Amino acid sequence: MMFGRQARVATVSAAVVSLVLAATACTSVDDDGGGSGDGDNLAITFLPKNLGNPYFDTSNAGGAEAIAEFGGEYAEVGPAEATPDSQVSFINTLAQQGVGAIAVSANDPEAICDALNEARDAGVGIVTFDSDTNPECRDLFINQADAEGIARVQVDLIAEQIGGAGEIAILSASANATNQNAWIALMEDYLAAEYPDITLVDTVYGDDDDQTSFDRTAGLLQTYPDLDGIISPTTVGISAAARYLSTSSAQGQVALTGLGTPNQMRDFVDDGTVTAFALWNPADLGYLAAYAAKALIEGEITGAAGDEFDAGRLGSYEVGPDGTVLLGDPFVFDADNIGDFDF
Ligand code: RAM
């Protein structure tokens, strides 16, 4: 299976990534002002939704690995909170510094658009990954997996876990997150079409903050005493919800699935709080975003459909419609395979 191969590669390269991170942690962006027209300016800065999220630590380590391979300069900056406009000041600063490209996971499809377009006018390449902006605000979007596939896998998992009928709720990230909102809309469609006996009673937002997500889980259980399951399409939310359930009387009674990292979910699979959840390989996502940024900076691609570029150990990728590059398929983790993964 494709993911299995990628995950093994990621595991093997974990030590390499650590070394790369150690070597690049102190680098700052190129200050030669060479954004515009400087085809060799391989200073690429990763801007996650917020700092302190292991998902982005892993994706950005993948970016650092790629950038070290092709001899660019890696940096990471980001806000403490995943609010709609918290990334704007970072984008403005990076544009002033003249980086070659920014790889950003957007907290809002619109709020950072003006800043991104000003950066583009200054010659900075804009690659969104994980969570997109409106397409006209960036050059490329590196999509982790097909949005419909991401929606379906989570709905199928919860349906299986609650026996195809009952009440479920969604614990999401921030209310404006482009990626979660797209997946939730598709989950609603899929539920209505395929699972008429499952009722989605509520969607709440933990803001990709651990404590807020924990509190929202408690609130859901209090408000909906007949709740059968929770889908949390965010690694922060699912791990906080699992932690809450694992010490509550709802453990084993209320099913939980969604998108999680194996390392954050391992204990909760071991203790029976969670039976299965999904994700992709975040390190590969960051790695691919970095190679796409390089190809953009070097003028090898513009973001037009049909453009092709080399992505190191992942092979060759082609840009699809709307400037989107697709990494691969989501993957389901459970007690049988979680031991094979370390991220
Ligand atoms: C969180 C973030 C990220 C999302 C993952 C699944 O880490 O919300 O954007 O892709 O979960």
Side-chain angles (χ1 to χ4, degrees):
M1 191 173 293
M2 184 175 161
F3 186 88
R5 179 179 62 80
Q6 292 176 352
R8 274 194 297 280
V9 172
T11 306
V12 169
S13 61
V16 176
V17 171
S18 306
L19 287 174
V20 167
L21 278 178
T24 56
C26 300
T27 59
S28 61
V29 293
D30 192 337
D31 64 355
D32 67 4
S36 187
D38 181 351
D40 291 319
N41 180 9
L42 292 176
I44 300 168
T45 298
F46 275 68
L47 176 54
K49 284 180 171 177
N50 54 355
L51 297 180
N53 176 350
Y55 171 89
F56 288 113
D57 292 345
T58 305
S59 64
N60 297 359
E65 179 196 353
I67 292 166
E69 271 174 19
F70 57 71
E73 278 185 70
Y74 166 83
E76 181 196 47
V77 296
E81 293 184 357
T83 54
D85 56 8
S86 60
Q87 295 166 312
V88 168
S89 62
F90 293 95
I91 296 163
N92 291 340
T93 302
L94 292 169
Q96 281 161 12
Q97 290 173 327
V99 296
I102 301 172
V104 54
S105 170
N107 283 310
D108 184 290
E110 182 64 42
I112 61 173
C113 274
D114 286 349
L116 289 180
N117 280 328
E118 278 173 33
R120 290 171 86 194
D121 287 347
V124 179
I126 302 298
V127 177
T128 54
F129 73 101
D130 177 68
S131 183
D132 201 7
T133 55
N134 295 334
E136 60 274 15
C137 318
R138 45 73 172 162
D139 298 296
L140 287 164
F141 171 47
I142 312 304
N143 193 5
Q144 46 271 57
D146 164 55
E148 287 199 340
I150 296 173
R152 286 176 184 207
V153 72
Q154 295 175 84
V155 170
D156 287 339
L157 283 170
I158 202 74
E160 195 183 324
Q161 292 167 15
I162 67 171
E167 293 187 357
I168 64 164
I170 293 176
L171 168 66
S172 189
S174 57
N176 290 18
T178 324
N179 53 346
Q180 274 89 10
N181 285 345
W183 302 331
I184 290 169
L186 291 165
M187 285 197 257
E188 288 171 352
D189 292 348
Y190 188 55
L191 273 169
E194 296 294 327
Y195 297 104
D197 297 331
I198 297 179
T199 308
L200 175 62
V201 295
D202 207 350
T203 296
V204 297
Y205 301 92
D207 296 337
D208 265 352
D209 176 74
D210 179 71
Q211 187 61 45
T212 310
S213 304
F214 188 88
D215 295 344
R216 294 285 177 274
T217 307
L220 281 175
L221 293 181
Q222 205 171 3
T223 311
Y224 304 100
D226 296 329
L227 197 66
D228 296 292
I230 298 172
I231 297 177
S232 187
T234 144
T235 59
V236 179
I238 193 175
S239 56
R243 200 171 77 251
Y244 181 85
L245 289 177
S246 67
T247 59
S248 89
S249 57
Q251 188 196 28
Q253 305 300 311
V254 175
L256 172 65
T257 193
L259 303 175
T261 69
N263 286 353
Q264 287 182 286
M265 299 304 291
R266 196 176 317 280
D267 289 350
F268 308 116
V269 170
D270 286 349
D271 74 9
T273 304
V274 169
T275 55
F277 61 96
L279 200 69
W280 41 90
N281 186 333
D284 287 349
L285 184 64
Y287 185 94
L288 181 57
Y291 268 96
K294 171 183 185 280
L296 189 64
I297 291 166
E298 292 179 338
E300 193 187 335
I301 62 173
T302 62
D307 277 357
E308 283 183 33
F309 63 99
D310 173 69
R313 63 171 163 77
L314 295 179
S316 169
Y317 277 78
E318 184 174 321
V319 179
D322 286 330
T324 295
V325 179
L326 189 63
L327 175 66
D329 295 320
F331 182 85
V332 174
F333 302 89
D334 58 22
D336 291 337
N337 65 21
I338 195 165
D340 299 339
F341 300 94
D342 183 16
F343 65 84

